[in-house]
Amino acid sequence: FVDIPETLTPLTTLKEEEFERILGTIHIEGDYKSQRNIALLHLMWGTGIGVEEIVNLEGKDVMPGKQNIIVVGGEYSTRTIPLEDRTAEALNNYQEYCSLRPKVDIGPNTPYFRSRKDGIKRLSSRRTRTIVMELGERVGILNLNPRTIRNSFASRKLSEGSSLEEVAYLLG
């Protein structure tokens, strides 16, 4: 018998239906935030990369039409992450939207996700967490956070037959 400290919280994951419900709350009205948030959620769900890695992505890391992205993790950690078709499509749609608007066009050395449509500020980790939490609240999921989506990715990959080593590599 192992005594589990009360401070630990159980691992939580999202079901695919819950993820779809969250996506369904984002109205595609041609505005920057909607396009960004759809791409952001798909990237989290389809790759499992962490928030810091997401907010540090630049245009050169996500090439249009490619089926992978380059993720720079720790000081010496760079890895290539394959994209699921839906994730690649969401990222391509986002990049196409941005390419038609000079203020948010994604150049090789510009932030991939920005906080505002004026294209000035890189999306912060804090704002990313807030976006995820607010989207979860829209469908009645309280305290949803990027870690839950990351856990969901890992759980899904393992249940699909990926090895622990493969999942560990993808998560960084």
Side-chain angles (χ1 to χ4, degrees), residues 40 44 50-52 55 123-135 143-147:
L40 185 67
M44 288 179 184
V51 171
E52 291 299 324
V55 299
L123 186 64
S124 70
S125 300
R126 175 178 278 177
R127 182 67 189 133
T128 302
R129 288 182 184 92
T130 301
I131 289 167
V132 170
M133 186 179 70
E134 289 172 352
L135 290 172
N143 300 316
L144 179 64
N145 60 65
R147 173 65 66 180

Side-chain angles (χ1 to χ4, degrees), residues 16 84 153-163:
E16 183 137 11
E84 297 173 351
F153 170 81
S155 178
R156 208 171 67 248
K157 285 297 181 189
L158 289 170
S159 69
E160 291 171 357
S162 294
S163 72

Side-chain angles (χ1 to χ4, degrees), residues 5-22:
E6 290 182 28
T7 57
L8 292 179
T9 56
L11 176 69
T12 55
T13 60
L14 275 181
K15 296 180 178 119
E16 183 137 11
E17 307 82 56
E18 293 170 317
F19 176 72
E20 294 299 331
R21 281 191 7 240
I22 293 167

Side-chain angles (χ1 to χ4, degrees), residues 107-120:
N109 297 310
T110 59
Y112 192 74
F113 292 111
R114 298 181 187 134
S115 62
R116 299 183 301 216
K117 61 183 166 189
D118 64 13
I120 297 172

Side-chain angles (χ1 to χ4, degrees), residues 158 162-169:
L158 289 170
S162 294
S163 72
L164 211 48
E165 291 79 17
E166 289 170 321
V167 174
Y169 171 79

